[in-house]
Amino acid sequence: MDALREYDIEFIKLKEGEHRFEYHLNDHFFKAFNSSLSTQDIRVDLLFTKSGSMFTLDFSIDGMVDVDCDRCLTRIGIPVKNKQKVIVKVSEHPRESDDDLIYISSHDYKINIAQHMFDFVNISIPIKNTCSDVGLVCDPAVTGKITSMIDVATEDEDIPERDSDEEE
């Protein structure tokens, strides 16, 4: 976790009010999580609001990640943009945390936000990624090979109807 120490926020040193932090995530960040995700640069703006025994972390994520096209496996850059909020409560008796609500002990003096940023980037990536999503055309050599190997039924071919009585 030493590789992620730069994402520690020592809230004990912060005065009440708003504090802004800016982070740039790169391949080294994702390798610390053993992730195959690569990026050109992702900017994370964090608004850390401290008030009494509660903190609000407003994340704003913007950048590009490199993924493989789901059709032709060409490497493409997909834009990621996300806004998330996490609430941190300091408690004498910390409870189990939720996705957007974290309980920490009153003896804690810092919080590491790396896991949150990693998760927020990952949920920003679309499930399906194709060259057409970024204005490119899939590699015709690869897509031609795929379509030649797959038996694709056309409208001209008669597809036999399955009779439900046959199963009995």
Side-chain angles (χ1 to χ4, degrees):
M1 214 49 174
D2 287 340
L4 301 173
R5 184 178 293 166
E6 68 183 282
Y7 305 103
D8 284 345
I9 297 176
E10 294 186 12
F11 56 83
I12 197 82
K13 295 180 180 179
L14 300 176
K15 295 180 181 177
E16 288 198 13
E18 294 184 349
H19 305 274
R20 295 189 183 277
F21 298 90
E22 181 179 317
Y23 299 96
H24 291 273
L25 310 182
N26 55 29
D27 291 341
H28 298 295
F29 174 81
F30 293 103
K31 284 183 179 152
F33 288 97
N34 295 322
S35 172
S36 62
L37 195 63
S38 66
T39 180
Q40 294 146 22
D41 183 45
I42 295 177
R43 179 182 166 153
V44 178
D45 292 316
L46 173 65
L47 176 62
F48 186 102
T49 307
K50 183 177 180 181
S51 59
S53 62
M54 186 175 97
F55 319 128
T56 304
L57 289 76
D58 289 302
F59 293 88
S60 178
I61 297 169
D62 191 15
M64 299 280 283
V65 293
D66 297 323
V67 296
D68 293 330
C69 172
D70 292 335
R71 289 188 189 131
C72 68
L73 299 177
T74 300
R75 201 77 171 148
I76 54 175
I78 297 288
V80 290
K81 195 171 214 135
N82 195 349
K83 290 185 183 283
Q84 294 288 330
K85 179 181 276 196
V86 176
I87 297 172
V88 180
K89 290 188 176 185
V90 179
S91 174
E92 285 295 324
H93 307 286
R95 296 179 247 166
E96 190 171 326
S97 298
D98 294 328
D99 290 338
D100 57 352
L101 177 61
I102 300 170
Y103 292 96
I104 59 174
S105 167
S106 58
H107 302 294
D108 290 336
Y109 65 97
K110 67 180 178 180
I111 185 169
N112 187 290
I113 59 167
Q115 184 67 54
H116 297 291
M117 293 190 295
F118 178 76
D119 292 343
F120 295 153
V121 167
N122 277 295
I123 63 172
S124 301
I125 300 171
I127 292 172
K128 182 179 175 188
N129 301 296
T130 61
C131 290
S132 60
D133 295 337
V134 292
L136 300 174
V137 177
C138 283
D139 184 352
V142 175
T143 55
K145 185 78 168 171
I146 291 170
T147 55
S148 71
M149 296 178 84
I150 298 174
D151 184 23
V152 180
T154 62
E155 292 178 20
D156 298 337
E157 297 176 10
D158 290 330
I159 301 173
E161 294 282 330
R162 186 171 187 184
D163 196 25
S164 61
D165 293 341
E166 291 177 7
E167 291 179 8
E168 294 177 16

